[in-house]
Amino acid sequence: MLSGDHMKTASDLNLPLVGVGLLYKSGYFSQQIDKEGRQTALYPENDFSLLPVELVKDGRGEPLDVQLDLPGRRLHVQVWLVRVGRARLYLMDTDTPRNTADDRRITARLYEADRDFRLRQEILLGMGGVRLLRKLGLRPAAYHMNEGHSAFLILERIRLLMQEEGLAFDEAAEIVRGSNLFTTHTPVDAGNERFALDRMEAYFMPYCQSIGLAWQDFIRMGRFEGTERNTFEMTVLALNYSYRANGVSALHGYVSRHMWQEGWKGVPTAEIPIGHVTNGVHLPSYAGPAMKPLLDGLLGEGWMELPPDAPQWDRLEGLPDTDLWAAKQAQKKALLEAVRASLPDFFKKYGIPYEKQKAMAARLTPESLVIGFARRFAPYKRATLLFADPDRLARLLDDADRPIIFIFAGKAHPADAQGIDMLQEVIRHMLDPRFFGKIFFIEDYNLAVSRTLVQGCDVWLNTPRRPYEACGTSGQKVPVNGGLNLSVSDGWWCEGYDGENGWTIGPVVTCEFLGAEQGDYDDAALLYALLEENVVPLYFDREAGDIPRNWLARMRRSLRTLTARFSSCRMVRDYLEGYYLPAARRDQELRADKDALARRLAAWKRDVTGRFNSLKMGEIRIEGLEKDELIGTRPMRVDVSITPGAMKPEELLVQLVAGPGNGQAFTDSPDVVELTRKDGEGSGPLIYACSYSPTRSGPHMYGVRVMPVTDGLASPLETRLVLWG
């Protein structure tokens, strides 16, 4: 869904972005719930002739044939084009008679449990994707690896540069690194792909032989220096060969820097070069049929592409309560009708008596407060947190004057037994006499169900176990539709919540602090309290005209503060300005004058590790401390002597690093002050000095470090070499 929104937004903004992916014969799966409430996964085959795809043909009018070498055979790939407005999406498919029956299944299903199939899928996506672009005559200025599954494109790009331009491996790697970008999407370990080395060897030993790369050097591409795990890690490969990397929310960036800090030993976690671009949603795809024309008239043409600080958003203050309430109620009615339409199958499946059928349908009225929960039934998303105390929940839902209904939807991964169990528990509570007609589940979650839910719900419930919700985007679709978020402080909600535009379950977590360990029962108690004391009373607090004006004020606040800030327009602009354009410029720098900078950097890096190891840091003298502690803003004076060994003075970057700390690590981004050389010549020690005044209060840590640098280096951290004193 996110990739689709990214593509649509590139079209809206007229950016020259091309997408590459796989076209699956059966896609994910269709969901059926049996009489026991268990999920059954069905895999109907897609008829490509009924999809908005067209077969790509070559200059002779024949289907384009992209080829890849697999052990003992050749893989043939046909290509399909999806026209996403002005943008193009190319999808590869191996279901062709030219392949073996086994290889035809590579693109059968989205989530393939078989590890060998999974590896072949990622070879196809990464290496095949680069070959596809070459066949199409496209030469991207930047390659955006959206999760590590596509990281094998690094290998193919290096091979092409070596074979076509005569570059050495490390020279080609410099160019590839300079124009690669990487987005990691999950802190969940299972989402970070890795493959056993013996499986890798069968597929990649021929690759190594074709470019003269030693097997151990190949293995190091998917490892951090100094680690010896018997796997090849796709996320590590992507981080090792990317110009810039990012998580998908501010908190996820923080979590990612901690997750992957072993790749930058000796670097404070806050400085690890993994930033963030918070995800956003494509507003034209989700704005509802009643809310959109209302906002069109109020905000004017093009409002969906407005930046968050545009003055047009101030007009929302003048939006009449009656108009906003009427639009929301119209979309809620559409949702309730969709739920009503699903009931006959439910009644038949579970043998519900006619009187109970009528009672259940009667609850589906716009007067009810409708709370929605729809997403993957992964254990960390805690879909069943609501049922931690069924008696308390029953009391909340038993007030006839304040009717509340919960609507659930979502699929569990077919191999996730725990997720399937959670889904069954929701169905069990749906059938519980205490909750009959108050809990609903919509079967076979898909885009149409998702859109109807986010447009119609009054409240969107989100209960993840922090910090596993890297961002989450379903709740971002709610504000434009007049809905309110009720969420644990995780993912995007850490940035979005301002105290008046929704509710946070439990502590409000900052974007650089995980907070205390969560307990399910504690979080459930906090959720019940919010519902009992805040959410439900506010919704049913009615004035003249039976309109909840205080609720509408919160709706308006949500619409104003969240809609543009978490739109995919803002997201894609962030990628353009902070990632795509810098990578394109870096590519030009490296390729200028027949790859002169790439060749020089590669030559410098070949021996800098050995030379840097000859450097020695001598005495560090510090003045201005009291009992070895920084006091207030009193300046400290730092002098350090360095014997450069085989390093040249101009290759040394000497820095004081100081900031808030707990004695073990910095607790916030440290201040970094460069020391300047004041004397010392020839082979003797060099003297560097600086002065520093603390900018923040509290306990501080400090240290002096040296890193090797040279002209044209993208970052001092690029070599991952650092010596501390």
Side-chain angles (χ1 to χ4, degrees):
M1 295 310 306
L2 178 65
S3 296
D5 282 5
H6 200 124
M7 292 295 300
K8 286 183 279 189
T9 306
S11 171
D12 294 343
L13 300 179
N14 200 21
L15 299 182
L17 185 143
V18 173
V20 177
L22 306 183
L23 183 60
Y24 299 98
K25 192 70 175 177
S26 296
Y28 191 15
F29 68 90
S30 293
Q31 180 192 60
Q32 284 189 359
I33 306 299
D34 66 19
K35 292 182 179 180
E36 304 301 319
R38 301 291 291 177
Q39 171 185 283
T40 300
L42 304 177
Y43 293 91
E45 291 190 350
N46 290 311
D47 182 347
F48 293 169
S49 69
L50 301 178
L51 298 179
V53 299
E54 55 190 90
L55 191 63
V56 178
K57 298 183 178 180
D58 60 21
R60 298 170 299 168
E62 298 295 324
L64 190 69
D65 182 33
V66 177
Q67 299 179 15
L68 284 167
D69 290 324
L70 296 180
R73 64 201 188 278
R74 180 158 291 177
L75 181 69
H76 295 270
V77 183
Q78 54 191 5
V79 182
W80 304 81
L81 171 63
V82 183
R83 299 183 186 275
V84 187
R86 290 174 286 199
R88 288 171 292 165
L89 169 63
Y90 292 97
L91 301 175
M92 296 177 288
D93 159 36
T94 64
D95 187 21
T96 169
R98 302 183 69 180
N99 291 327
T100 66
D102 197 48
D103 284 342
R104 293 183 71 167
R105 292 173 48 222
I106 291 174
T107 53
R109 296 180 181 179
L110 171 59
Y111 290 123
E112 179 56 65
D114 184 283
R115 299 305 295 159
D116 200 76
F117 270 99
R118 191 68 165 162
L119 179 55
R120 278 181 274 168
Q121 284 183 336
E122 301 196 1
I123 291 170
L124 171 60
L125 178 61
M127 303 182 79
V130 173
R131 293 194 183 188
L132 164 61
L133 294 173
R134 296 296 294 265
K135 279 258 187 181
L136 297 171
L138 296 171
R139 297 290 192 274
Y143 290 76
H144 185 177
M145 295 178 287
N146 198 29
E147 196 55 277
H149 307 302
S150 57
F152 286 139
L153 70 82
I154 293 163
L155 308 181
E156 184 65 10
R157 292 192 63 205
I158 289 174
R159 184 189 69 82
L160 289 171
L161 285 167
M162 293 178 68
Q163 294 183 350
E164 295 178 358
E165 300 189 24
L167 295 172
F169 173 83
D170 53 358
E171 295 168 343
E174 286 294 329
I175 292 173
V176 169
R177 184 183 295 108
S179 51
N180 273 352
L181 304 162
F182 172 56
T183 298
T184 175
H185 281 271
T186 179
V188 179
D189 184 66
N192 291 282
E193 202 82 82
R194 53 183 66 90
F195 296 102
L197 294 183
D198 56 352
R199 191 180 302 278
M200 290 289 294
E201 187 172 2
Y203 284 92
F204 289 101
M205 183 59 79
Y207 170 86
C208 293
Q209 293 168 346
S210 72
I211 62 172
L213 182 67
W215 180 244
Q216 287 302 315
D217 290 335
F218 175 82
I219 292 173
R220 278 194 284 271
M221 296 179 74
R223 279 182 177 171
F224 285 138
E225 193 69 33
T227 61
E228 298 297 330
R229 289 184 287 274
N230 194 36
T231 56
F232 189 97
E233 301 192 47
M234 299 297 285
T235 300
V236 175
L237 172 65
L239 289 170
N240 282 341
Y241 291 88
S242 288
Y243 176 55
R244 292 187 180 175
N246 68 282
V248 291
S249 70
L251 182 62
H252 182 229
Y254 169 85
V255 171
S256 297
R257 289 188 289 275
H258 283 76
M259 278 185 70
W260 305 108
Q261 60 185 324
E262 68 175 351
W264 288 268
K265 289 184 172 65
V267 176
T269 306
E271 289 188 279
I272 288 172
I274 301 176
H276 79 274
V277 174
T278 302
N279 288 340
V281 297
H282 187 245
L283 295 176
S285 296
Y286 303 106
M291 288 295 298
K292 182 181 181 301
L294 180 66
L295 296 174
D296 285 345
L298 182 72
L299 301 176
E301 186 178 353
W303 66 268
M304 295 187 188
E305 296 178 15
L306 290 173
D309 58 354
Q312 288 93 323
W313 295 109
D314 293 339
R315 299 176 190 170
L316 288 169
E317 294 303 317
L319 178 60
D321 283 350
T322 52
D323 293 350
L324 180 57
W325 184 241
K328 183 65 206 175
Q329 290 298 91
Q331 292 183 187
K332 185 197 289 192
K333 289 177 184 177
L335 167 61
L336 298 178
E337 285 305 313
V339 175
R340 193 185 308 276
S342 72
L343 290 181
D345 288 341
F346 170 80
F347 295 151
K348 182 179 179 181
K349 183 182 300 181
Y350 296 103
I352 306 298
Y354 180 68
E355 288 303 318
K356 283 195 171 184
Q357 292 182 24
K358 287 201 305 181
M360 189 173 193
R363 296 275 304 184
L364 295 170
T365 67
E367 289 72 36
S368 297
L369 170 62
V370 178
I371 302 175
F373 181 103
R375 50 188 49 84
R376 285 187 301 116
F377 270 65
Y380 75 86
K381 292 179 182 285
R382 301 193 294 180
T384 55
L385 187 72
L386 181 67
F387 307 110
D389 187 341
D391 293 335
R392 187 171 179 181
L393 178 62
R395 289 194 297 272
L396 175 68
L397 300 185
D398 204 33
D399 187 343
D401 294 328
R402 300 197 299 186
I404 306 165
I405 61 174
F406 287 86
I407 302 176
F408 287 81
K411 297 176 178 178
H413 190 290
D416 183 1
Q418 191 176 354
I420 293 172
D421 289 344
M422 297 176 83
L423 196 153
Q424 184 180 27
E425 184 178 344
V426 172
I427 302 297
R428 181 171 60 81
H429 282 96
M430 183 179 175
L431 294 167
D432 187 320
R434 293 175 297 176
F435 304 119
F436 203 78
K438 303 168 187 177
I439 307 291
F440 295 85
F441 183 87
I442 301 179
E443 203 168 308
D444 201 22
Y445 185 50
N446 57 25
L447 175 57
V449 171
S450 167
R451 185 179 286 117
T452 303
L453 277 163
V454 298
Q455 290 173 356
C457 286
D458 295 302
V459 173
W460 197 252
L461 180 62
N462 187 36
T463 53
R465 181 172 289 110
R466 195 172 41 250
Y468 296 111
E469 189 76 271
C471 178
T473 57
S474 62
Q476 297 175 344
K477 302 165 187 174
V478 171
V480 72
N481 289 295
L484 294 171
N485 279 276
L486 171 59
S487 176
V488 166
S489 195
D490 197 10
W492 76 279
W493 191 236
C494 295
E495 301 164 60
Y497 178 64
D498 71 357
E500 299 177 0
N501 58 3
W503 296 273
T504 289
I505 303 165
V508 176
V509 171
T510 67
C511 297
E512 294 224 340
F513 176 66
L514 291 180
E517 186 73 22
Q518 292 168 278
D520 289 352
Y521 286 101
D522 289 341
D523 281 357
L526 292 165
L527 169 59
Y528 294 136
L530 272 175
L531 289 169
E532 294 162 348
E533 300 168 15
N534 298 87
V535 179
V536 175
L538 188 68
Y539 183 81
F540 289 102
D541 177 19
R542 304 300 172 91
E543 297 180 5
D546 198 30
I547 290 179
R549 299 196 183 277
N550 292 329
W551 181 276
L552 284 160
R554 193 167 286 249
M555 281 172 57
R556 193 178 284 103
R557 177 77 179 180
S558 169
L559 183 61
R560 182 178 183 179
T561 60
L562 301 175
T563 301
R565 189 176 170 196
F566 296 100
S567 77
S568 54
C569 273
R570 187 273 312 150
M571 174 187 74
V572 172
R573 286 188 180 114
D574 284 354
Y575 275 116
L576 177 66
E577 296 165 8
Y579 292 79
Y580 296 163
L581 291 176
R585 288 191 287 266
R586 180 64 176 171
D587 185 59
Q588 290 180 332
E589 293 172 359
L590 292 165
R591 302 304 301 271
D593 299 325
K594 298 181 179 180
D595 310 322
L597 179 58
R599 294 175 189 269
R600 183 173 64 78
L601 287 174
W604 180 77
K605 288 180 180 179
R606 283 173 198 145
D607 70 353
V608 73
T609 300
R611 294 192 297 114
F612 187 72
N613 287 337
S614 70
L615 178 147
K616 297 190 184 308
M617 191 182 301
E619 182 183 5
I620 300 174
R621 296 182 299 277
I622 301 177
E623 299 175 357
L625 297 184
E626 186 174 308
K627 297 181 181 179
D628 292 329
E629 292 185 357
L630 290 165
I631 303 298
T633 58
R634 182 188 303 172
M636 60 185 285
R637 173 79 181 177
V638 179
D639 292 83
V640 59
S641 66
I642 294 174
T643 302
M647 296 292 291
K648 301 173 184 176
E650 61 269 22
E651 293 179 303
L652 302 181
L653 177 64
V654 186
Q655 297 174 324
L656 170 70
V657 183
N662 58 15
Q664 301 296 320
F666 292 106
T667 55
D668 199 351
S669 298
D671 298 323
V672 178
V673 181
E674 185 173 348
L675 281 74
T676 56
R677 183 156 60 102
K678 64 177 189 177
D679 58 21
E681 297 293 342
S683 59
L686 306 176
I687 307 300
Y688 292 80
C690 76
S691 62
Y692 168 72
S693 296
T695 58
R696 288 160 285 189
S697 61
H700 273 52
M701 295 172 57
Y702 59 89
V704 175
R705 70 182 177 194
V706 185
M707 293 184 287
V709 293
T710 188
D711 289 342
L713 204 62
S715 164
L717 300 175
E718 189 175 331
T719 65
R720 305 190 188 182
L721 297 172
V722 58
L723 175 66
W724 284 89

